[in-house]
Amino acid sequence: MEQKTLHRQEQSEGGQDQAVTILAIESSCDETAAAVVRNGREVLSNVISSQIELHKLYGGVVPEIASRKHIEKINPVIEEALCRSELRLEDIDAIAVTYGPGLVGALLVGVAEAKAIAFASKKPLIGVHHIEGHIAANFIEHRELEPPFLCLVVSGGHTHLVLVRDYGVFDILGRTRDDAAGEAFDKVARAIGLGYPGGPKIEQIARNGNPQAVLLPRAKVNGHPHDFSFSGLKSAVLNYINSEKMKGREICREDLAASFQQAVADVLTHHLLDAAETVSVSKLAIAGGVASNQMIRGQIERACEEHGYQFYFPSPIYCTDNAAMIGAAAYYDYQRGVRSDWTLNAVPSLKLGER
Ligand code: KG4
Ligand code: ZN
């Protein structure tokens, strides 16, 4: 069942100037996370229990294992988040939870938990879109950042160019036609024997490589200048590995990783700046797991400086999946009067801006 917004209020419960403290839960993929966030910008606690070590054994996230692990971890993670915030459940104004997109079984654990807590404590429930959360991660450390701004969301599941017109008001200018940027990192890492998750490992070995060593494509999508395509780049890497093998040559993993990372960085930088020219914004931001890549953010930062844009990015801990970003996004939903009812369900392919 789709989530419904029960009612919209002009004013938040308690009025606009009172502090609003939200307990947020995130379980859409392989991190079980809970956080307590005040007024959308102040993180009182941020607890993340990562399942990476478990999924590493299989070379990627195994949905069934993810759900089981979320069930095991969710209560202790929430308890820890409340404990670190030095607040009790009575002090919380609303319960927020990611309800899509993501793995259905994983999402369901968070959604069921949030509903149970909200119902038992008679507090409002707010279902949050995962990408909206990634975008809102930028609010945490940039208290001056307000819409409108253009945000490039680059994670394992998504590559979206989003014009944030206002809080909760989005225009998707571009998206990937095939693989997400993080997915390409993960697949290339697997191909060169680095294991899961690929992004941080590629970044690490690329530091000792030559980004110009291997010529790789920077794909454009005909007629859709803001859309991305990473599957051609991934295939070019795989073809290069095979052709070097056939010639009996050892590949230099560092050079290949650096060349691949450079190709992704060039495409992301070009698309972000190109899209910025078509909309009148002065602020550009990045978000999602791939946004924690120092080389990529460094390149985008320099391009923004050159072209006179203000550039925003979250610290790595708020780039990869976490619940603080969900609490940040939920605050603006709360202020707009958005409330979910008890029919809130996991929506694995939820679209941005949909409720
Ligand atoms: O945002 P996130 O934690 O989960 C999703 O919503 O998908 O992003 C995870 C993705 C993975 O594909 C991972 O390889 C990539 O982000 N990633 C990176 C880096 N750290 C994580 N990619 C490139 N460089 C990194 N340092
Ligand atoms: Zn994510």
Side-chain angles (χ1 to χ4, degrees):
M1 220 182 298
E2 289 270 320
Q3 180 206 20
K4 281 182 211 136
T5 301
L6 263 192
H7 53 271
R8 289 182 172 267
Q9 294 165 225
E10 284 304 306
Q11 277 246 306
S12 65
E13 282 153 27
Q16 295 277 0
D17 350 303
Q18 267 185 4
V20 175
T21 309
I22 294 181
L23 169 66
I25 299 168
E26 154 66 41
S27 70
S28 65
C29 191
D30 59 347
E31 330 277 356
T32 318
V36 177
V37 181
R38 185 168 284 157
N39 293 340
R41 308 252 173 177
E42 191 188 344
V43 177
L44 303 185
S45 67
N46 185 33
V47 179
I48 304 168
S49 167
S50 174
Q51 305 176 359
I52 283 179
E53 288 307 316
L54 214 62
H55 298 287
K56 245 184 199 169
L57 305 170
Y58 306 92
V61 178
V62 183
E64 172 69 19
I65 295 178
S67 316
R68 282 167 184 259
K69 211 64 198 167
H70 284 313
I71 290 175
E72 212 178 281
K73 293 287 179 190
I74 198 139
N75 282 325
V77 163
I78 291 170
E79 262 182 50
E80 182 72 24
L82 277 172
C83 175
R84 286 196 206 168
S85 72
E86 296 182 5
L87 294 178
R88 293 157 308 157
L89 191 54
E90 301 90 273
D91 306 318
I92 300 291
D93 296 298
I95 315 295
V97 64
T98 306
Y99 74 107
L103 300 169
V104 67
L107 287 165
L108 272 171
V109 176
V111 169
E113 178 83 12
K115 279 160 78 169
I117 296 175
F119 186 79
S121 61
K122 300 189 173 61
K123 294 189 190 293
L125 174 70
I126 303 171
V128 176
H129 192 291
H130 184 73
I131 297 185
E132 202 174 325
H134 273 304
I135 295 169
N138 278 290
F139 297 139
I140 296 169
E141 294 157 299
H142 304 291
R143 301 212 173 165
E144 73 289 5
L145 176 62
E146 304 255 8
F149 60 94
L150 185 61
C151 187
L152 173 66
V153 186
V154 269
S155 70
H158 316 277
T159 304
H160 279 54
L161 253 176
V162 183
L163 175 62
V164 184
R165 288 191 181 279
D166 201 346
Y167 294 108
V169 184
F170 309 100
D171 276 357
I172 301 176
L173 304 185
R175 64 179 81 227
T176 182
R177 292 296 178 113
D178 37 59
D179 293 347
E183 198 180 347
F185 267 96
D186 294 335
K187 287 177 177 169
V188 166
R190 194 179 309 157
I192 57 177
L194 293 177
Y196 178 83
K201 292 187 172 156
I202 292 213
E203 177 171 20
Q204 199 185 352
I205 70 162
R207 291 199 183 104
N208 301 317
N210 170 8
Q212 263 82 51
V214 185
L215 195 64
L216 294 170
R218 274 78 170 147
K220 288 190 177 141
V221 180
N222 275 342
H224 299 275
H226 305 318
D227 279 355
F228 302 85
S229 169
F230 290 107
S231 73
L233 172 59
K234 172 197 67 190
S235 303
V237 171
L238 300 182
N239 290 343
Y240 172 80
I241 296 171
N242 288 335
S243 90
E244 290 298 288
K245 262 190 198 153
M246 303 245 287
K247 291 175 196 154
R249 292 204 288 246
E250 277 278 304
I251 60 154
C252 173
R253 299 199 306 179
E254 288 76 10
D255 282 353
L256 186 54
S259 302
F260 164 77
Q261 184 175 261
Q262 186 63 57
V264 176
D266 289 351
V267 169
L268 297 181
T269 310
H270 172 270
H271 274 63
L272 181 60
L273 276 105
D274 196 45
E277 269 185 29
T278 67
V279 288
S280 57
V281 289
S282 57
K283 295 172 270 184
L284 307 187
I286 54 171
V290 181
S292 64
N293 184 296
Q294 304 286 327
M295 183 264 156
I296 293 178
R297 48 212 264 169
Q299 176 162 323
I300 298 178
E301 189 168 26
R302 285 191 297 280
C304 284
E305 264 168 34
E306 240 170 69
H307 292 83
Y309 292 108
Q310 284 163 271
F311 180 51
Y312 300 87
F313 51 84
S315 289
I317 192 72
Y318 298 125
C319 284
T320 44
D321 288 348
N322 66 86
M325 67 184 196
I326 303 303
Y331 169 75
Y332 295 97
D333 287 339
Y334 182 93
Q335 293 294 40
R336 293 199 317 281
V338 174
R339 304 289 184 269
S340 302
D341 64 20
W342 306 124
T343 66
L344 182 72
N345 203 350
V347 185
S349 54
L350 183 68
K351 303 277 176 295
L352 191 62
E354 218 175 60
R355 275 207 169 264

